Amino acid sequence: MRIDLHTHSRVSDGTDTPAELVAAAAATGLDVVALTDHDTTAGWDEALAAGEEHGVTVIPGIEISTEHGGRSVHLLGYLIDPTYEPLVEELGQILAGRSARVPLMVAQLQAEGIAITEADVYAQSTDAAATGRPHVADALVALGVVGHRDEAFDRFLAWGRPAYVDRYAAPLERMIDLIARAGGVSVIAHPWGRTTRRTPSVEQLATFAARGLAGVEVDHQDHDAATRAELRAVAAELDLVATGSSDYHGTGKTGHPLGVNTTAAVELHRLLERAAAASAASGRPAPVSLPPVVLR
Ligand code: AMP
Ligand code: FE
Ligand code: FE
Ligand code: ZN
């Protein structure tokens, strides 16, 4: 079974519609794909319908912007009840922070002498429930200021560059709790990918595991071979599920094709067992019933 548990559609900062993404997953030979748009579940229905059409099992997920100790942590949530009100409220705050940031980024780009407007940004994010820096990057591409998203990040949008603007992220531990109470399971995305230092530390990961974190994304393009080996050992020691995924963004992010990393079936089964337990403990219904071949 080929399993990819981390992908983005146009509902956040990917470039495929959810249906196109699932069709592409089928075409590339994936059996299971999770849609994990940033901070929104708005793409789920379309992806699930496309899964039925193409014979691919779609696992509904989300990648939530959180912070811990002043650092950004991306937390994947799977099989949550998307109507759980405290979670909906927290996601609303994150999305509001994304929207509030757009005019600030535009103003800083204007200060750099670039004739860009908010309308230019929103013209690039017509299908998106979550507006992000990649849409600003796309606007800069459309205006001919840069050639590609990567160049927009390198010159203007990355941390420390002139149009970087911070935004609200939810406290990580609160979000681990909320995902469990919503009947789902949480997995830290690319935990050691963004800095050369191993943060969160092993001790912090142990604390999160004790609090209900279900897994860590081990196989990700942002982790080199040594990092993957170390993290896999930590996952085994802490009894965390070890996943592997592409973090596909369509043509929006180079080097992340669908299925470039995959999750072992045995790890998916452990994750789904924990999701079933969370659903039972919380009393929140699972958003989909998965086919026996996946649950086995
Ligand atoms: P935001 O969520 O708005 O803060 O933007 C972060 C998103 O930008 C990440 O989820 C990535 O998908 C994307 N991103 C970060 N760096 C780059 C880059 N160099 N090229 C393209 N996309 C990037
Ligand atoms: Fe992204
Ligand atoms: Fe991420
Ligand atoms: Zn992602």
Side-chain angles (χ1 to χ4, degrees):
M1 226 178 2
R2 295 194 68 223
I3 301 158
D4 187 340
L5 295 181
H6 182 170
T7 70
H8 298 269
S9 76
R10 292 178 65 80
V11 169
S12 64
D13 58 3
T15 58
D16 292 353
T17 64
E20 287 167 351
L21 184 155
V22 172
T28 198
L30 288 173
D31 303 288
V32 179
V33 67
L35 179 69
T36 55
D37 275 309
H38 295 287
D39 305 315
T40 178
T41 62
W44 283 13
D45 289 350
E46 184 182 324
L48 289 165
E52 303 225 332
E53 184 185 331
H54 295 283
V56 175
T57 297
V58 172
I59 295 185
I62 188 168
E63 183 177 21
I64 303 178
S65 310
T66 80
E67 59 85 17
H68 185 264
R71 286 172 200 279
S72 158
V73 177
H74 286 183
L75 187 65
L76 295 160
Y78 300 102
L79 295 161
I80 50 174
D81 174 357
T83 68
Y84 179 57
E85 195 52 43
L87 181 67
V88 171
E89 266 173 38
E90 191 62 66
L91 293 175
Q93 262 199 71
I94 298 172
L95 293 174
R98 286 182 167 280
S99 302
R101 182 177 58 160
V102 172
L104 302 176
M105 288 192 286
V106 165
Q108 290 187 205
L109 287 167
Q110 287 170 347
E112 293 296 303
I114 297 163
I116 185 173
T117 65
E118 279 183 67
D120 292 325
V121 176
Y122 284 108
Q124 300 299 325
S125 64
T126 43
D127 299 336
T131 313
R133 282 180 284 168
H135 301 115
V136 180
D138 290 346
L140 292 170
V141 173
L143 291 168
V145 176
V146 296
H148 189 270
R149 273 187 185 183
D150 286 332
E151 190 189 344
F153 273 86
D154 289 347
R155 285 178 57 193
F156 302 108
L157 299 170
W159 189 86
R161 306 308 297 160
Y164 176 82
V165 178
D166 204 5
R167 64 178 166 84
Y168 175 74
L172 171 65
E173 291 179 308
R174 171 169 162 72
M175 199 44 85
I176 289 173
D177 294 350
L178 282 182
I179 288 173
R181 287 195 219 126
V185 280
S186 53
V187 172
I188 297 186
H190 43 75
W192 289 349
R194 296 295 162 88
T195 61
T196 47
R197 289 172 49 203
R198 304 283 202 246
T199 49
S201 68
V202 175
E203 292 70 30
Q204 286 171 331
L205 289 173
T207 312
F208 305 151
R211 203 179 176 105
L213 177 73
V216 283
E217 191 176 58
V218 170
D219 290 301
H220 185 280
Q221 296 302 78
D222 290 357
H223 294 155
D224 62 19
T227 304
R228 293 179 189 205
E230 246 184 272
L231 197 50
R232 205 181 312 281
V234 170
E237 187 187 312
L238 298 178
D239 195 28
L240 289 166
V241 175
T243 68
S245 301
S246 64
D247 203 357
Y248 174 73
H249 282 67
T251 58
K253 207 170 182 180
T254 46
H256 294 256
L258 280 167
V260 65
N261 300 297
T262 54
T263 298
V266 60
E267 297 296 317
L268 176 61
H269 295 157
R270 291 174 66 208
L271 194 64
L272 296 178
E273 275 172 23
R274 291 183 190 202
S279 180
S282 66
R284 309 302 301 188
V288 287
S289 44
L290 295 168
V293 62
V294 173
L295 292 170
R296 190 161 30 103

